Amino acid sequence: MAEQDTTSALAPRLAEEIRDKLIAGELKPGQRLSEATLSVGMDVSRNSLREAFRLLTKEGLLRHEHNRGVFVATPSMASIIDIYRVRRIIECQALAKAYPNHPAVARMRLAVERARVARGDKDWGTVGSQNMVFHAAIVDLADSQRLNAFYAQIAAELRLSFGLLAEPELLHAPYVDLNAAILEKLEDGMPAEASAALEAYLTQSERTVLAAFSRIDVRNSSGNVYS
């Protein structure tokens, strides 16, 4: 009974840690997850890890294949379209009603600065990670823990869609300056204009991702094609 209680208590934290790895781009679509390696690396029991896998599978971030193991999920084009629909609702509203001196604005600024440095080094993985930090900070402007938790799942799915693409510079480079422009409008006390700029940004980003996605065949390990 005590072991069951420990497993139930640990699983959500482990799921959050794995979700963070997805958002950071450390885990790739279709990648097989090793229970043995992760349980040692995270210093937890396999039972706790399996429960975390179950939670993330329910969220659609992982998939379980009988006799083969657990794999990172591969997004579909339909899911990408839905992710951007949700982003417009959450992020644009959070920005439109934002207070320019909210603590999250400092995190947005730091993310822009770090992305610029990474762009100069052509470190597109870090540029992508800082982009995720920037947009998570936008959601933070709404001061809602429920929205933050929901957006973490959306962000993980979004990063998986980025991981499918072979053109990281095309995907990430233009958005460093666009993020900076959105931030500037917010800091100048123009949240409505910042929100409008973000909506145009998300439309452009969605088109870029879908165009790149349409040029590839994405196969999961069962041989199914997602398009």
Side-chain angles (χ1 to χ4, degrees):
M1 185 68 174
E3 183 179 351
Q4 272 189 333
D5 291 343
T6 301
T7 296
S8 298
L10 274 177
R13 177 179 65 79
L14 295 176
E16 183 177 359
E17 288 184 26
I18 295 171
R19 200 182 294 110
D20 286 344
K21 290 179 183 293
L22 293 170
I23 294 171
E26 295 176 25
L27 302 174
K28 304 299 181 183
Q31 179 179 339
R32 186 180 181 279
L33 300 184
S34 167
E35 269 188 22
T37 301
L38 278 174
S39 62
V40 171
M42 302 175 82
D43 193 25
V44 294
S45 72
R46 290 199 183 189
N47 283 341
S48 296
L49 193 58
R50 286 178 191 133
E51 179 62 16
F53 283 172
R54 187 189 69 79
L55 294 175
L56 292 170
T57 299
K58 188 175 180 181
E59 291 180 11
L61 297 175
L62 303 180
R63 72 173 191 275
H64 178 267
E65 294 189 11
H66 186 59
N67 292 331
R68 298 196 69 237
V70 175
F71 295 80
V72 178
T74 301
S76 66
M77 189 172 282
S79 69
I80 292 170
I81 292 170
D82 196 36
I83 287 167
Y84 275 93
R85 182 183 298 120
V86 171
R87 292 186 70 190
R88 287 186 188 91
I89 293 170
I90 295 177
E91 292 188 54
C92 292
Q93 285 299 307
L95 201 52
K97 298 176 181 178
Y99 172 53
N101 292 321
H102 191 286
V105 176
R107 295 198 296 278
M108 293 167 66
R109 188 183 311 113
L110 183 59
V112 168
E113 292 168 358
R114 288 175 173 172
R116 281 174 168 160
V117 172
R119 181 179 60 181
D121 295 335
K122 296 191 181 301
D123 180 359
W124 303 115
T126 297
V127 173
S129 294
Q130 291 306 313
N131 181 59
M132 304 304 291
V133 171
F134 181 86
H135 289 278
I138 287 177
V139 178
D140 265 348
L141 294 168
D143 289 320
S144 169
Q145 289 301 314
R146 288 179 176 84
L147 275 182
N148 289 346
F150 177 65
Y151 190 78
Q153 179 185 342
I154 298 299
E157 291 186 75
L158 182 64
R159 191 58 187 265
L160 287 178
S161 70
F162 292 167
L164 293 169
L165 308 179
E167 302 153 315
E169 181 175 356
L170 173 65
L171 179 66
H172 295 305
Y175 298 100
V176 178
D177 291 335
L178 291 174
N179 283 347
I182 289 168
L183 174 62
E184 183 178 356
K185 286 180 171 59
L186 179 59
E187 290 183 318
D188 286 346
M190 300 187 295
E193 289 82 354
S195 178
L198 176 60
E199 185 161 3
Y201 165 118
L202 290 174
T203 298
Q204 180 178 335
S205 176
E206 180 181 23
R207 287 173 179 167
T208 300
V209 174
L210 290 175
F213 193 86
S214 69
R215 291 194 290 271
I216 60 176
D217 284 339
V218 184
R219 294 181 180 273
N220 67 13
S221 55
S222 299
N224 295 322
V225 176
Y226 291 81
S227 59

